[in-house]
PDB file of all heavy atoms in Angstrom:
ATOM      1  N   CYS A  15       2.759  11.282  -0.954  1.00 97.00           N
ATOM      2  CA  CYS A  15       4.212  11.311  -1.155  1.00 97.00           C
ATOM      3  C   CYS A  15       4.750  10.069  -1.859  1.00 97.00           C
ATOM      4  O   CYS A  15       5.910  10.043  -2.254  1.00 97.00           O
ATOM      5  CB  CYS A  15       4.918  11.491   0.188  1.00 97.00           C
ATOM      6  SG  CYS A  15       4.722  10.092   1.324  1.00 97.00           S
ATOM      7  N   ASN A  18       5.822   3.762   0.776  1.00 94.00           N
ATOM      8  CA  ASN A  18       5.140   2.522   1.156  1.00 94.00           C
ATOM      9  C   ASN A  18       4.710   2.594   2.608  1.00 94.00           C
ATOM     10  O   ASN A  18       5.478   3.045   3.457  1.00 94.00           O
ATOM     11  CB  ASN A  18       6.060   1.316   0.964  1.00 94.00           C
ATOM     12  CG  ASN A  18       6.208   0.934  -0.482  1.00 94.00           C
ATOM     13  OD1 ASN A  18       5.245   0.911  -1.230  1.00 94.00           O
ATOM     14  ND2 ASN A  18       7.421   0.641  -0.888  1.00 94.00           N
ATOM     15  N   ASP A  26      -0.648 -16.126  11.407  1.00 77.00           N
ATOM     16  CA  ASP A  26      -1.747 -16.577  10.545  1.00 77.00           C
ATOM     17  C   ASP A  26      -1.669 -15.947   9.162  1.00 77.00           C
ATOM     18  O   ASP A  26      -2.578 -16.086   8.360  1.00 77.00           O
ATOM     19  CB  ASP A  26      -3.097 -16.237  11.187  1.00 77.00           C
ATOM     20  CG  ASP A  26      -3.312 -16.998  12.490  1.00 77.00           C
ATOM     21  OD1 ASP A  26      -2.893 -18.170  12.558  1.00 77.00           O
ATOM     22  OD2 ASP A  26      -3.886 -16.406  13.421  1.00 77.00           O
ATOM     23  N   LYS A  27      -0.577 -15.219   8.896  1.00 75.00           N
ATOM     24  CA  LYS A  27      -0.326 -14.560   7.605  1.00 75.00           C
ATOM     25  C   LYS A  27      -1.287 -13.401   7.328  1.00 75.00           C
ATOM     26  O   LYS A  27      -1.466 -13.005   6.197  1.00 75.00           O
ATOM     27  CB  LYS A  27      -0.364 -15.562   6.437  1.00 75.00           C
ATOM     28  CG  LYS A  27       0.589 -16.717   6.590  1.00 75.00           C
ATOM     29  CD  LYS A  27       2.019 -16.259   6.525  1.00 75.00           C
ATOM     30  CE  LYS A  27       2.936 -17.476   6.584  1.00 75.00           C
ATOM     31  NZ  LYS A  27       4.204 -17.233   7.179  1.00 75.00           N
ATOM     32  N   LYS A  40     -14.781   7.707  -1.287  1.00 96.00           N
ATOM     33  CA  LYS A  40     -15.955   8.537  -1.552  1.00 96.00           C
ATOM     34  C   LYS A  40     -16.663   8.054  -2.799  1.00 96.00           C
ATOM     35  O   LYS A  40     -16.070   7.960  -3.870  1.00 96.00           O
ATOM     36  CB  LYS A  40     -15.516  10.004  -1.733  1.00 96.00           C
ATOM     37  CG  LYS A  40     -16.600  10.937  -2.223  1.00 96.00           C
ATOM     38  CD  LYS A  40     -17.757  11.041  -1.256  1.00 96.00           C
ATOM     39  CE  LYS A  40     -18.808  12.029  -1.777  1.00 96.00           C
ATOM     40  NZ  LYS A  40     -20.109  11.809  -1.193  1.00 96.00           N
ATOM     41  N   GLU A  41     -17.940   7.714  -2.653  1.00 96.00           N
ATOM     42  CA  GLU A  41     -18.796   7.388  -3.787  1.00 96.00           C
ATOM     43  C   GLU A  41     -19.546   8.670  -4.145  1.00 96.00           C
ATOM     44  O   GLU A  41     -20.384   9.142  -3.377  1.00 96.00           O
ATOM     45  CB  GLU A  41     -19.780   6.280  -3.420  1.00 96.00           C
ATOM     46  CG  GLU A  41     -19.113   4.953  -3.165  1.00 96.00           C
ATOM     47  CD  GLU A  41     -20.102   3.863  -2.780  1.00 96.00           C
ATOM     48  OE1 GLU A  41     -21.330   4.043  -2.973  1.00 96.00           O
ATOM     49  OE2 GLU A  41     -19.644   2.827  -2.284  1.00 96.00           O
ATOM     50  N   TYR A  44     -25.352  12.237  -7.179  1.00 91.00           N
ATOM     51  CA  TYR A  44     -26.045  13.307  -7.890  1.00 91.00           C
ATOM     52  C   TYR A  44     -25.521  14.662  -7.438  1.00 91.00           C
ATOM     53  O   TYR A  44     -25.070  14.832  -6.325  1.00 91.00           O
ATOM     54  CB  TYR A  44     -27.547  13.246  -7.632  1.00 91.00           C
ATOM     55  CG  TYR A  44     -28.197  11.974  -8.113  1.00 91.00           C
ATOM     56  CD1 TYR A  44     -28.867  11.141  -7.230  1.00 91.00           C
ATOM     57  CD2 TYR A  44     -28.131  11.610  -9.450  1.00 91.00           C
ATOM     58  CE1 TYR A  44     -29.467   9.977  -7.671  1.00 91.00           C
ATOM     59  CE2 TYR A  44     -28.731  10.441  -9.899  1.00 91.00           C
ATOM     60  CZ  TYR A  44     -29.393   9.635  -8.996  1.00 91.00           C
ATOM     61  OH  TYR A  44     -29.974   8.491  -9.431  1.00 91.00           O
ATOM     62  N   SER A  46     -22.947  16.195  -8.284  1.00 94.00           N
ATOM     63  CA  SER A  46     -21.492  16.364  -8.322  1.00 94.00           C
ATOM     64  C   SER A  46     -21.034  16.209  -9.766  1.00 94.00           C
ATOM     65  O   SER A  46     -21.745  15.658 -10.602  1.00 94.00           O
ATOM     66  CB  SER A  46     -20.789  15.320  -7.446  1.00 94.00           C
ATOM     67  OG  SER A  46     -20.746  14.067  -8.102  1.00 94.00           O
ATOM     68  N   ASP A  49     -20.424  12.179 -10.639  1.00 94.00           N
ATOM     69  CA  ASP A  49     -21.542  11.259 -10.422  1.00 94.00           C
ATOM     70  C   ASP A  49     -21.206   9.874 -10.978  1.00 94.00           C
ATOM     71  O   ASP A  49     -20.789   9.732 -12.116  1.00 94.00           O
ATOM     72  CB  ASP A  49     -22.797  11.807 -11.097  1.00 94.00           C
ATOM     73  CG  ASP A  49     -24.049  11.015 -10.765  1.00 94.00           C
ATOM     74  OD1 ASP A  49     -24.022  10.235  -9.791  1.00 94.00           O
ATOM     75  OD2 ASP A  49     -25.047  11.165 -11.480  1.00 94.00           O
ATOM     76  N   THR A  52     -16.211   6.349  -7.916  1.00 97.00           N
ATOM     77  CA  THR A  52     -15.752   6.102  -6.552  1.00 97.00           C
ATOM     78  C   THR A  52     -14.272   6.419  -6.501  1.00 97.00           C
ATOM     79  O   THR A  52     -13.495   5.913  -7.304  1.00 97.00           O
ATOM     80  CB  THR A  52     -15.981   4.635  -6.146  1.00 97.00           C
ATOM     81  OG1 THR A  52     -17.395   4.358  -6.202  1.00 97.00           O
ATOM     82  CG2 THR A  52     -15.488   4.357  -4.740  1.00 97.00           C
ATOM     83  N   GLU A  59       0.741   9.399   7.776  1.00 96.00           N
ATOM     84  CA  GLU A  59       0.506  10.376   8.839  1.00 96.00           C
ATOM     85  C   GLU A  59       1.134  11.733   8.517  1.00 96.00           C
ATOM     86  O   GLU A  59       0.538  12.783   8.789  1.00 96.00           O
ATOM     87  CB  GLU A  59       1.050   9.845  10.161  1.00 96.00           C
ATOM     88  CG  GLU A  59       0.668  10.687  11.340  1.00 96.00           C
ATOM     89  CD  GLU A  59       1.011  10.058  12.668  1.00 96.00           C
ATOM     90  OE1 GLU A  59       1.591   8.957  12.697  1.00 96.00           O
ATOM     91  OE2 GLU A  59       0.705  10.685  13.694  1.00 96.00           O
ATOM     92  N   GLU A  60       2.300  11.739   7.909  1.00 97.00           N
ATOM     93  CA  GLU A  60       2.967  12.993   7.581  1.00 97.00           C
ATOM     94  C   GLU A  60       2.170  13.794   6.541  1.00 97.00           C
ATOM     95  O   GLU A  60       2.019  15.010   6.660  1.00 97.00           O
ATOM     96  CB  GLU A  60       4.390  12.742   7.061  1.00 97.00           C
ATOM     97  CG  GLU A  60       5.343  12.229   8.114  1.00 97.00           C
ATOM     98  CD  GLU A  60       5.226  10.719   8.356  1.00 97.00           C
ATOM     99  OE1 GLU A  60       4.619   9.997   7.519  1.00 97.00           O
ATOM    100  OE2 GLU A  60       5.722  10.259   9.398  1.00 97.00           O
ATOM    101  N   CYS A  61       1.660  13.127   5.518  1.00 97.00           N
ATOM    102  CA  CYS A  61       0.857  13.812   4.499  1.00 97.00           C
ATOM    103  C   CYS A  61      -0.469  14.283   5.074  1.00 97.00           C
ATOM    104  O   CYS A  61      -0.961  15.365   4.729  1.00 97.00           O
ATOM    105  CB  CYS A  61       0.645  12.914   3.281  1.00 97.00           C
ATOM    106  SG  CYS A  61       2.148  12.722   2.289  1.00 97.00           S
ATOM    107  N   CYS A  66      -3.834  18.790   6.857  1.00 97.00           N
ATOM    108  CA  CYS A  66      -4.606  19.426   7.936  1.00 97.00           C
ATOM    109  C   CYS A  66      -4.066  20.810   8.279  1.00 97.00           C
ATOM    110  O   CYS A  66      -4.835  21.711   8.638  1.00 97.00           O
ATOM    111  CB  CYS A  66      -4.616  18.536   9.173  1.00 97.00           C
ATOM    112  SG  CYS A  66      -5.598  17.051   8.955  1.00 97.00           S
ATOM    113  N   ASN A  68      -3.084  23.014   6.335  1.00 96.00           N
ATOM    114  CA  ASN A  68      -3.529  23.989   5.338  1.00 96.00           C
ATOM    115  C   ASN A  68      -5.039  24.182   5.274  1.00 96.00           C
ATOM    116  O   ASN A  68      -5.522  24.916   4.413  1.00 96.00           O
ATOM    117  CB  ASN A  68      -2.995  23.594   3.955  1.00 96.00           C
ATOM    118  CG  ASN A  68      -1.494  23.718   3.886  1.00 96.00           C
ATOM    119  OD1 ASN A  68      -0.936  24.740   4.266  1.00 96.00           O
ATOM    120  ND2 ASN A  68      -0.830  22.679   3.423  1.00 96.00           N
ATOM    121  N   GLU A  77      -9.492  13.476  22.327  1.00 90.00           N
ATOM    122  CA  GLU A  77      -8.664  12.419  22.909  1.00 90.00           C
ATOM    123  C   GLU A  77      -9.514  11.170  23.092  1.00 90.00           C
ATOM    124  O   GLU A  77     -10.679  11.239  23.487  1.00 90.00           O
ATOM    125  CB  GLU A  77      -8.108  12.858  24.267  1.00 90.00           C
ATOM    126  CG  GLU A  77      -7.114  14.001  24.174  1.00 90.00           C
ATOM    127  CD  GLU A  77      -5.813  13.580  23.498  1.00 90.00           C
ATOM    128  OE1 GLU A  77      -5.372  12.432  23.692  1.00 90.00           O
ATOM    129  OE2 GLU A  77      -5.256  14.432  22.780  1.00 90.00           O
ATOM    130  N   GLY A  83      -9.477  -4.679  28.208  1.00 61.00           N
ATOM    131  CA  GLY A  83     -10.272  -5.630  28.974  1.00 61.00           C
ATOM    132  C   GLY A  83      -9.380  -6.631  29.694  1.00 61.00           C
ATOM    133  O   GLY A  83      -8.271  -6.926  29.278  1.00 61.00           O
TER     134      GLY A  83
END
Side-chain angles (χ1 to χ4, degrees):
C15 66
N18 284 317
D26 295 323
K27 304 293 184 210
K40 171 62 178 158
E41 293 179 15
Y44 298 121
S46 78
D49 188 16
T52 299
E59 189 171 2
E60 291 82 15
C61 287
C66 290
N68 293 311
E77 293 292 324

